[in-house]
Amino acid sequence: MSLINKIFRRFLSYVRLVLESQIGLFWWLNYWRKNTSRTMVGKFKPYKGTRIDIATSAKINLQESCWFNVVEGGRHSKAESHLVMEDDACLYIRGLFRFRHGADIKIFKGGCLILEGGYAMPNVAIRCKMQIRIGKGCAIARGVTILDSDAHGVWIGDKAQPTMAPVDIGEHVWICTGAIILKGVTIGDGAIVAAGAVVTRDVPPKVIVAGVPARVIKENVEWA
């Protein structure tokens, strides 16, 4: 590719950014905000309809890019996505990650959300109070919910139950429509979580889990 073509393609990409994203928010998040750090390729790209509430002490680390509120229809869409980060919350983008419209992401005080690469389809909800990691190449379908806490205290008799535990989702995991991932779960590389499943315990690599609560129904699976 000639130098002129490269310059022209770069110019077109910035024109598209102006048309489809919130340019002021883009500049603030990536260049002006004190607690955002980034590499040369790392950018947070807030498409039109992005709504954010980020505490001053919250940290964003962009080793790669995050596209937020990606919608069909571009600048004509009225769809929204929400990102809330409380005091001392952390967001690490380690691989390119795309959130479609309707994303509802909240990182509570001191929580840490790590995204290593992949995409989330519309209306995904993530609630992070401790730590949630989503591995490289993950596909998260419409309406998935991921939680690392119960949100409320729970007692059995006089004994308080643990209310928080980290969630670790491996590489190349496919989480299908409407699935729910609950606290303390580790999902192995290459696993598939079936539509509507509620995952309450660890999932081995390369299996399909389904049901409420989710159980292994197939082993040695591959998906592409």
Side-chain angles (χ1 to χ4, degrees), residues 136-152:
K136 182 179 179 181
C138 285
I140 303 176
R142 181 184 295 267
V144 167
T145 300
I146 303 173
L147 311 168
D148 68 355
S149 78
D150 295 328
H152 299 279

Side-chain angles (χ1 to χ4, degrees), residues 150-163 183:
D150 295 328
H152 299 279
V154 178
W155 288 262
I156 298 179
D158 294 330
K159 187 175 181 181
Q161 302 300 301
T163 59
K183 71 177 191 298

Side-chain angles (χ1 to χ4, degrees), residues 16 43-45 47 64-71 81 93 95-101 103 105 115-124 126 134 137-141:
R16 183 177 180 182
K43 293 181 178 65
F44 193 103
K45 184 175 180 180
Y47 282 73
E64 252 288 0
S65 292
C66 180
W67 297 8
F68 202 73
N69 201 47
V70 181
V71 296
S81 291
I93 308 296
L96 176 62
F97 203 95
R98 299 177 178 89
F99 283 101
R100 297 294 297 272
H101 60 273
I105 314 300
L115 305 175
E116 297 187 346
Y119 64 86
M121 295 301 285
N123 302 318
V124 164
I126 297 175
I134 299 175
C138 285
I140 303 176

Side-chain angles (χ1 to χ4, degrees), residues 4 26 35 62 71 74 76 78 84 109 112 117 121 125 144 151 164 186 210 215 221 223:
I4 293 175
F26 171 85
N35 280 325
L62 298 165
V71 296
H76 301 294
K78 296 182 180 179
V84 176
K109 183 177 181 179
C112 183
M121 295 301 285
V144 167
M164 291 191 296
T186 295
R215 300 181 184 277
V221 300
W223 70 272

Side-chain angles (χ1 to χ4, degrees), residues 17-61:
L17 175 65
V18 170
L19 292 176
E20 295 185 351
S21 72
Q22 299 179 97
I23 191 66
L25 183 57
F26 171 85
W27 280 94
W28 176 72
L29 281 169
N30 292 286
Y31 300 107
W32 299 334
R33 188 177 179 275
K34 181 179 179 181
N35 280 325
T36 297
S37 59
R38 48 178 293 274
T39 65
M40 290 292 292
V41 297
K43 293 181 178 65
F44 193 103
K45 184 175 180 180
Y47 282 73
K48 181 181 177 182
T50 295
R51 303 290 181 260
I52 66 167
D53 182 2
I54 301 178
T56 302
S57 62
K59 296 178 175 61
I60 300 175
N61 180 266

